[in-house]
Each structure stands twice: as structure tokens, then as C-alpha cells.
Amino acid sequence: MALLLYTLLFLFIYLIGRVAWKFYSIYRKLHNATKQFRDFGAQQNGSAYGYQSGQEHDYRSSSTNNRTTTQTGDVIEDRRTEDKINRKIFTQEEGEYVDFEEVK
């Protein structure tokens, strides 16, 4: 009788361990997927958060860092590269394109 109880106890502990391991593996997969999305979003947006540990980013070398403060105190920061800032939206074949000069 004691052998049967020890066997049932062992099976119970074994099943709890298997279920816990499965939950842990699902958690790790979700955690890694979330981290990949965060890193990809940070890379696409050029945001200052979402760095991987040990990495340093310097956006000044590849882009202009224009900061403008509005009258309400909001800060607008433009981190686009010069190429992206100066590119034309339409090609010559798509219609008229008027060169624009801002009057100051």
C-alpha cells in the first residue's frame, strides 16, 4: 500500500513539474517575441528606449537632431536624416512638382 502511495505522489510531483515547465517555456516564448517587437519598433522609430544592453546609439552621426519648442511648451524633435528630409515625394512622371522655398 505504501508503495502505491509513493508512486502516486511521484506521478503527481512529476506532472506538476511538467506543467510548470510548459508554462515557463510559453512565458519565455512570449517574452522573447515581445522583446523582438520592442526592439524592432525602437529601431524603426529611432526612439531613445528599447536598447539592448551594452549598446550605445548616437543619432547625431546619421541624422540631424532638430528640436523645436512650441508656444505651449511642447518639444518637437526631428531625427530624420538629411536624405529623408530633402527627398521629393512625387517623381517627375507622377505629375507637377513645384519647388518650394519657405519665405522667412
Side-chain angles (χ1 to χ4, degrees):
M1 186 71 176
L3 183 63
L4 179 65
L5 290 176
Y6 282 125
T7 305
L8 289 175
L9 179 63
F10 173 76
L11 286 175
F12 181 71
I13 293 172
Y14 175 76
L15 289 176
I16 288 176
R18 292 287 303 232
V19 169
W21 185 258
K22 193 64 170 173
F23 276 119
Y24 176 74
S25 65
I26 291 171
Y27 164 76
R28 291 302 304 168
K29 287 179 184 177
L30 287 174
H31 180 73
N32 290 338
T34 305
K35 185 178 182 315
Q36 284 179 345
F37 277 113
R38 238 185 274 127
D39 290 345
F40 180 74
Q43 180 184 17
Q44 292 297 317
N45 295 331
S47 66
Y49 58 89
Y51 297 146
Q52 294 177 356
S53 60
Q55 286 185 338
E56 301 233 357
H57 296 280
D58 186 13
Y59 292 106
R60 289 171 284 162
S61 62
S62 63
S63 66
T64 59
N65 198 3
N66 297 328
R67 261 185 195 209
T68 307
T69 305
T70 63
Q71 293 175 348
T72 60
D74 295 329
V75 176
I76 301 171
E77 190 168 324
D78 187 5
R79 292 185 175 176
R80 295 178 294 169
T81 61
E82 288 291 330
D83 294 336
K84 285 188 178 182
I85 290 172
N86 295 328
R87 76 180 170 122
K88 293 184 177 183
I89 299 170
F90 302 104
T91 62
Q92 292 291 348
E93 296 83 37
E94 290 181 341
E96 279 188 50
Y97 188 88
V98 179
D99 286 329
F100 175 79
E101 288 186 23
E102 187 174 339
V103 179
K104 293 183 180 183

